[in-house]
Amino acid sequence: MIRWEFCCASSPAAHVFRPLKASERLTRPLKLFLQQNLINIDLLPQFLFILFSPVSAVFRDRDELRMNVNQQPHMASPYGQPQPGYQGYPQPGYGGGHVPSGYPAQYAPYNGPGSAYQQGPPQGMRGPPTSGAPPVSGAQSYSQFGQGETQNGPPPMGAPPQRPPVSQTYTPGAVNLSGPQPPFSQQFGAPPVSMQQMTNQMASMQVGSTAPSPAGPGYAPPSVSQAAMSAPYTPAAPPSFPPTSAAPSQPPPTEAVARPPPQSYYGAPPPAQQPFPNAVPPFSSTGPTQPQAPPPVSPQSFPQAPPVSQPPFSTAQVPPGPTQSYGGPLPPTQPSFSRPLLPTSQPSTFPAGPPPTSTPSQLPGVMQPQPPVSQPSPYHSGPHPTSTGFPPQVGAPPRPPFAGMQGPPMAPQGPPLASQGPPMVQANHVPPTQPGMPPGPISASMSGPPPQPGMQGYPPQQNGAFGQVRGPQPGYTGPYPGQPNYGAPPAAPAPAPPATKRLDPDSVPSPQASDMPPVQKTRHRIDPDAIPSPIQVIEDDKANKGSEPFTTGVRGQAPPLVTTKFQVKDQGNASPRYIRCTAYNMPCNSDMAKQSQVPLAAVIKPLAPLPPDETPPYLVDHGESGPIRCNRCKAYMCPYMQFIEGGRRFQCGFCSCVTEVPPHYFQHLDHTGKRVDCYDRPELSMGSYEFMATVDYCKNNKIPQPPAFIFLIDVSYNAVKNGMVGIVCQELKTLLDYLPRENPDVESNIRVGFVTYNKVLHFYNVKASLAQPQMMVVSDVADMFVPLLDGFLVNVSESRVVIESLLDQIPEMFADTRETETVFGPVIQAGLEALKAADCAGKLFVFHSSLPIAEAPGKLKNREDKKLVGTDKEKSLFQPQVSFYNTLAKECVVQGCCVDLFLFPNQYVDVATLGVVPTSTGGSIYKYTYFQASSDQERFLNDLRRDVQKPMGFDAVMRVRTSTGIRATDFFGSFYMSNTTDVELAGLDCDKTVTVEFRHDDKLSEETGALMQCAVLYTSCSGQRRLRIHNMAVNCCSQLADLYRNCETDTVINFFAKYAYRSVLSSPIKNVRDSLVNQCAQILACYRKNCASPSSAGQLILPECMKLLPVYLNCVLKSDVLQPGADISLDDRAYLRQLVSTMDVSESHVFFYPRLLPLQKLDVESISVPVAVRDSEERLSRGGVYLLENGLNIFLWVGVNAQQELLQNIFGTPAFGQIDPNMTSLPALDNPFSKRLREIIESVRAQRSRYMKLMVVKQEDKLELIFKHFLVEDKSNNGGASYVDFLCHMHKEIRQLLS
Amino acid sequence: MSTYQEFIQQNEDRDGVRCSWNLWPSSRLEATRLVVPVSCLYTPLKERPDLPPVQYEPVLCSRANCKAVLNPLCQVDFRAKIWACNFCFQRNSFPPSYAGISEVNQPAELMPQFSTIEYIVQRGPPTPLIFLYVVDTCLEEEDLQALKESLQMSLSLLPPNALVGLITFGRMIQIHELSCEGIAKSYVFRGTKELTPKQIQEMLGLMKPATSGQQGKPLAPHDAAAASCIFLQPVQAVDMNLTDLLGELQRDPWPVPQGKRPLRSTGIALSIAIGLLEGTFPNTGARVMLFTGGPPTQGPGMVVGDELKPPIRSWHDIQKDNARHLKKATKYYEALANRAAVNGHSVDIYACALDQTGLLEMKCLSNLTGGHIVMGDSFNTSLFKQTFQRVFSKDYNGEFRMAFGGTLEVKTSRELKISGAIGPCVSLNTKGPCVSDNEMGVGGTCQWKICSLTPATTLAMYFEVVNQHNAPVPQGGRGAVQFVTQYQHSNTQRRIRVTTIARNWADAQSQIQHIESSFDQEASAVLMARLGVFRAESEEGPDVLRWLDRQLIRLFMFHLRRSPFLQVFNNSPDESSYYRHHFVRQDLTQSLIMIQPILYSYSFYGPPEPVLLDSSSILPDRILLMDTFFQLVIYHGETIAQWRKAGYQEMAEYENFKQLLQAPLDDAQEILQTRFPMPRYIDTEHGGSQARFLLSKVNPSQTHNNLYAWGQESGAPILTDDVSLQVFMDHLKKLAVSSSA
């Protein structure tokens, strides 16, 4: 167990702990990683910001993670603040507390920010009366936010009703950044001063970033880090400041630019303009409030900063020592970097305000500084543009006070923290830095292992940042040799690193606390490094479970994570590649299940591909009478069948019914009661196998015909113009040789047919005997039929000449088409009718370009209405606009007609409606927005190739049987259900996943456990009818602790995501989000209540297996479907929604938590891939190059300060400026690095079911905003909470549940 | 004046007119008493090699509701340059171009020998002829092959600039795009769904999206023509394409399960053909040529279901009202026919199958539009092949014997009104002063549309004498009738043929003998037969016979009673339709042959001679040649047949026998050369199964009942219960006496 404690600095408990920890760590640093990490979150109501500092860590069973949050009297308020941090959350609370009425109004416009600001003002009032400026800023903020703010302001003073706000806040959380901002606002309070400038700030923000010089982004960071270093500080600060003010203008642009890109996310780059408008509106409207705006900016700046710091490291500018350490501890260094960033912003403040002064003012000053810190967060969260502006400005005004308080460092830190997004981190840093020497040591001690003074460590980092900030980091880095050390220590203990990191943060705060009373007061931000790290968990799992094969024989044993490479040995249960469960210990009864709220679900991928070293399921033939089954429940013969009476009968493991063994299947039992032939028969010894189905299992009791593939190609103007038609036709000529087949030596049995269409349909007769193909036009789209029988579906090899002739001519024929209207419903009907006429199952490949507006069944109108987003009517956008396609889908399923849809839209095509048939028939949707042959061809072709070639079954029915006591109640995926048990899939390919939820309808026994059997009846590509059986047994438990010890977060998230994504069809998104958070909180609260040892209420305790639940859940919550940015089109959301519904666990994992690989750490010699870093901007080094993949896209992010050598190796040019951001593939350069990099990209692509287009993102380029969208631990510019904020929020929720 | 015989012949040669009476009773009352109405057979495009068309516009009477054309019967004042209309007596001045007119310098239309004259006029741009093939693909392979060859052959017979199109159908209908290169394109329709003309035109892309300028306005013809180009192309441009296309034509690929008929979407195919033409070339001469090998079995216009078990309707079913699809299908095709007729398009039906093909239901397509109907057993017979070839035969000028878009207008002098017409025409519903309320045939109008004409097309026109008894016509007065036929010549010229005839009025009381002698027995027979057929089409068979019996008393009517035109026994509904179709359009001679077949006898006893159509004419040592118009039967008497079997004709010494055998063949060949449609040619002998064709036609003067009474040496007995002519006559006489009493 790991404990995280969030303590108010002032709380005695925290104090106590800290010393302990420190000592422990010092003495046995090695144990640290095993021990708890405690983070104290101190919330000062006054300041309305939260500081998290790890206080202690206790190692338990490794099955839980504890975080103590000790709240001072203020605590409540702090929480409230944190909530605000959450954006939406806090606000509501506040609103309620203060002036409900006022709030709502504000909210609408910009609630989040408003509340935050309001608080801010109060803060300003309190804390820095000294700083007249702050108040001013506050005032400004007020004005911006509206009256509500003012009202809010007061309440916070009183001591904002923390809790109420909390709960309420949540909902608001949805609102966006604004929520979180409140807390920030406090910080802002200080910043407020700057705020005034705020107005300017928007600009300034950016400016600040830019100003910082080289690193617009760096601006904030640099200063912070510098703060640590006195020398650096001054220089950095001054420059940064001026720039900030001046810069403001610049930054905004960046933001604006950035936003546009986001739209393009999934498709081609959308017009930048759109994004802009969005960005703009906020500015104008909230101009003043803008806190939101700032956030984005700040993030940008931050990331940059971090990178910068890294570069230095890599370069080893710093003393050799550091460099060495770097190699190892890179990850750690990064964190450090982030910290530096924070400082950077601060630096600016430094110059402004004399450090010394600040110190004295300490308390107040501190308070303020914190606020600033919070501000940064606001930046992240909410008003990006403004926030950005803020930081700089804020920095300036507050600085004086701040500086005075904690000294320059503090102030700087504050801002930096804020800037970083996760204030936490900053806080941590801050403490150390601020305390200056004292903290440093402490921190050092914390990090324990590294004898080097934490100070050094930090400083170096900061330095790094600093250096970066200023420009050439080297200089800075030089001064701080400590960095290397720092990095080193973490790196050294591979597993430990997380612990160490956590420790560090902890240590930092503790020192502060101990050192300075004021410090204590100062709130600590939660150190991002101190909270559960996905990367760490993944790496741990790899280390622990990746080495030896996973055998499935043991019931109730959780498999390795999806991110771990492992071999599976089937010993009676299905491989996790086929079935993954959320819980491998199911509660025995429904009460427990209800209490825990842990979803009981299995993610089943029946035809999952296996690695070459694993054996595919054996094929079993039970002869003419078909597979042996239980008489009652019809379960298929499996290892759970108990043979009795000498083998003459068997008892079903599912329903306990006793069935006679048919004579031909009889076998004697051995002394253990097992059949003698047990190990000769896969169905008695394996978890997965296949049966040959008899004619009884066929439709109409007729052996099925081999399936057919029909290609339906849009040849309207758009499709021809963007090159799609030509590409498809060209590709099909070769692709048709690779149709799926069971025996690679034999020709595929699959027949093919071709249709083109615009407003009418063109069928082609490609009979082998014809000299030329014949085109048959059907213009009666209202009543579709297939005009020919013979010659439409043909064998490829027989009709090759005619087919090639056809594919050559299609592009020519329609080259001059002026037809822009298309139909869609009739197209699918045509394919369906063709399959009906041929009496076979099959798959349609539809290549479609535009909204079907031509007069025909299934005609659609453009209903894209962004005004509905965020309203209760939003769900209608995900629902099909006509019922026609539902009916059609039903017909398709009956015939076994699977539809794959390739979309090439230039504008809204209503994916929600067009996708109905594919998603009901087991098909896939591929979307290539703004398709351009030059840049998207590769991706499309690879998708097409894979889609055509992949193994699949047709006309499938899936049935999940379970042992008595539980029942499969709900199913998620691409299929159709005509009753409550049979999952009908017109097509089932190797990528399709069905998630099944179970519920109790009786008690389960611990003895027998819970069994499930998934049987899929399908027609193979050769036309054979088969049954694939997957068996799975899990334990049952009567202790909740067992449940929590054996569950799998990735799978839970997969389930949650699918559940939520389906819920958006029927509920307002806000409700969906709330219920997700609520359920998650209940899960964790239940653990805390029933499984965890008693501890203080402020402690956040997470089960080890679920310690990543908050971070992943946050990723789900801020995904484009549940929390859309203004630049996300409705089509994209519908597309993603449908996409996620068929994802398996590994896909959903990387989709929600993208993999970010630091390429500068790539070891050319090794075959391993560098350890990923966490998805946060502060982990990025300006000198680095990173690869980010989420299963749909690959980004290559290039830091502005990336080494020339690196660039030369990758791009063939040493100049950052010469990198073409439009390239979609890397040049094939003849150097090991380039080769290895391309290998990695290829291997990453190979792991995913869809080809990922490579996008090169240059730091500070407008495209970067798209990229930042995937840094899911950060605040997102559409209002998604940062990891830290969300954790706080979650904690608050849990606390509320517990109290 | 010579004999009436000559007069009649002369008039027919000049004007193509045969009147039932050549002196007209001068009052309504007398006319009615004559039983046979004042009427005539008119062949509008009778071939007149000696009549060169004139190259100017006709001169019309200026009275708005007259507009009669200047003709030889008009009184002309050469000095005043004025002419008086002989129908309305309006005085008209000549147009300026006639300024040079004088008694010695008369324009052609004033000369008596030009009572029929043809004008060539310039009306708009010439439009090419259009031939749209509608081909059934549900045929036996052999049939389809033969049909494909015939069609390919026909391409070389078409005028090079003619537009040609191709629609094939079976279960689906394909309309082939002819202009494309590379991939053969076609538009496909399902055969079960009825489409409105608008839908069809939309689906064929004939309607351009309404431009902002002219919303809702139908296409200008030229635009439409351009749009239709993909379906209708000049033969010369797509000759090769189309030949290949026809060559690749496959049988309908949809499987026909056991016990089912192939699904044949004739109804929709025709509606698409007609829809295409009406959308692209309205009021332009066009032929839709339907080639079908069986009955429509699905969709609108279906004649029989696809289940083989229930057979196609017979007369028996129809009389019992058991023909499920009959009325619906008939209605459907009538609607189509009317649409085609309105647009001046004609529909030919070439139906070749052993069973019925639904001609009964579809006949109106041809009947109303002037199209041909050809019925055969198979496309792989010379009957079809030559008939089809003959459709494209050319006249002495090398021009096709077909004309399109004809409009026939009739003008009468005051004492007469027009009651109606019977022939391949539809009413244009033009009311006028000369339209009688008393309808006979297609009446109530003075204008008819004849979508397609051949030189043989003959209409029966019926008139009513409206002059009252108390207003006698002055002595020497003449009644006049003018036929004005406007049409599109096959060379795309617009032409107007004007025929003006006049007959003397006669007072029935005082001049009854004259009137009697002016009676044209042949013409009257045909005219009455047409009336009978027309009635038969619309009324129950027995009623018609009774009507006819009441009305008529002439010898030939015995045969008419037994002819397939009125008698449906032993004929399928399709056959009846087929026979009637031809009967109402052929000229007088052919019509007579149809009513009373001609029987020639060849023997060693003298030159070939016509003999009585009587069983007594069937003798062992004779060769008989019977021409029924639809059949040409050569019958070898018993002895002749034996001789032939013995091979005497091969021996040099029996050269004369060989010649005897050859003689009827040569004569038959002569008939075959000119007859359209090709008659069924039957070469049979005594006792041969095909001899039934002969036996069924002859007067059964000897039957199995009276065989011995009449002795064996002459004639051949007929196995029938029908009464013989003698008995009929006896009965008729008795009836006549009793009725008059």
Side-chain angles (χ1 to χ4, degrees), chain A residues 764 767 770-780 782-790 806 809 813 837, chain B residues 172 174 177 181-190 192-193 195 200 202-204 245 248 250 253-255:
Chain A
Y764 295 93
K767 203 166 155 182
L770 294 174
Q772 277 281 330
Q774 291 176 349
M775 178 207 249
M776 311 181 88
V777 183
V778 172
S779 35
D780 185 6
D783 200 1
M784 193 36 67
F785 63 98
V786 178
L788 75 171
L789 181 61
D790 195 19
L806 170 66
Q809 291 186 57
M813 276 192 291
Chain B
M172 310 275 174
Q174 278 177 268
E177 196 172 300
E181 307 207 336
I183 289 184
K185 296 182 197 167
S186 58
Y187 281 62
V188 187
F189 296 82
R190 70 198 316 177
T192 52
K193 188 178 171 190
L195 300 167
I200 291 174
E202 269 175 4
M203 288 177 185
L204 293 178
L245 196 57
E248 286 202 349
Q250 300 291 319
W254 299 87

Side-chain angles (χ1 to χ4, degrees), chain B residues 48 192 265 280 300 347 450 455 476 490 584 608 655 737:
Chain B
R48 291 285 307 277
T192 52
S265 319
T280 51
V347 181
I450 313 166
S490 61
V584 298
E655 177 69 23
V737 173

Side-chain angles (χ1 to χ4, degrees), chain A residues 312-573:
Chain A
F313 290 108
S314 62
T315 52
Q317 304 162 352
V318 182
T323 56
Q324 297 173 352
S325 64
Y326 285 172
L330 294 183
T333 59
Q334 294 176 351
S336 66
F337 290 108
S338 63
R339 297 172 183 176
L341 300 177
L342 303 175
T344 56
S345 65
Q346 296 173 352
S348 63
T349 59
F350 287 83
T357 58
S358 65
T359 47
S361 60
Q362 296 165 358
L363 293 184
V366 173
M367 298 300 283
Q368 296 174 349
Q370 294 171 353
V373 175
S374 65
Q375 293 174 352
S377 63
Y379 289 110
H380 303 298
S381 63
H384 311 296
T386 53
S387 67
T388 53
F390 280 35
Q393 300 174 351
V394 173
R399 287 160 195 171
F402 290 107
M405 295 302 291
Q406 299 175 344
M410 290 303 287
Q413 294 171 355
L417 295 177
S419 65
Q420 293 174 352
M424 304 288 291
V425 178
Q426 297 175 353
N428 296 334
H429 294 295
V430 177
T433 55
Q434 296 174 353
M437 296 309 289
I442 298 172
S443 65
S445 64
M446 293 304 288
S447 51
Q452 304 158 354
M455 292 299 289
Q456 295 178 352
Y458 282 125
Q461 298 172 353
Q462 297 173 351
N463 294 340
F466 227 9
Q468 297 171 359
V469 174
R470 292 183 175 183
Q473 309 74 7
Y476 285 99
T477 54
Y480 307 93
Q483 296 177 353
N485 301 336
Y486 196 76
T500 57
K501 291 178 183 177
R502 299 166 185 169
L503 293 178
D504 292 345
D506 293 350
S507 67
V508 175
S510 66
Q512 293 178 354
S514 62
D515 294 347
M516 305 285 285
V519 173
Q520 296 172 357
K521 290 183 180 179
T522 63
R523 300 305 164 194
H524 304 286
R525 296 297 184 79
I526 293 178
D527 179 356
D529 286 346
I531 54 182
S533 156
I535 301 303
Q536 190 57 49
V537 172
I538 289 167
E539 292 303 317
D540 286 352
D541 193 73
K542 276 184 189 165
N544 295 337
K545 297 188 177 175
S547 51
E548 49 192 51
F550 174 74
T551 57
T552 66
V554 185
R555 197 174 73 187
Q557 164 202 34
L561 296 182
V562 286
T563 43
T564 301
K565 262 194 185 173
F566 59 101
Q567 197 194 359
V568 181
K569 293 198 169 159
D570 186 343
Q571 293 187 348
N573 284 315

Side-chain angles (χ1 to χ4, degrees), chain B residues 164-237:
Chain B
V164 63
L166 175 64
I167 292 176
T168 58
F169 69 94
R171 179 170 173 151
M172 310 275 174
I173 296 100
Q174 278 177 268
I175 171 165
H176 297 266
E177 196 172 300
L178 300 179
S179 60
C180 53
E181 307 207 336
I183 289 184
K185 296 182 197 167
S186 58
Y187 281 62
V188 187
F189 296 82
R190 70 198 316 177
T192 52
K193 188 178 171 190
E194 186 163 2
L195 300 167
T196 65
K198 189 166 163 254
Q199 280 176 313
I200 291 174
Q201 285 156 26
E202 269 175 4
M203 288 177 185
L204 293 178
L206 304 182
M207 309 261 260
K208 289 185 183 154
T211 53
S212 57
Q214 23 174 245
Q215 274 177 346
K217 183 182 163 191
L219 290 182
H222 291 293
D223 291 348
S228 71
C229 275
I230 55 175
F231 301 115
L232 297 170
Q233 289 280 305
V235 176
Q236 53 195 359

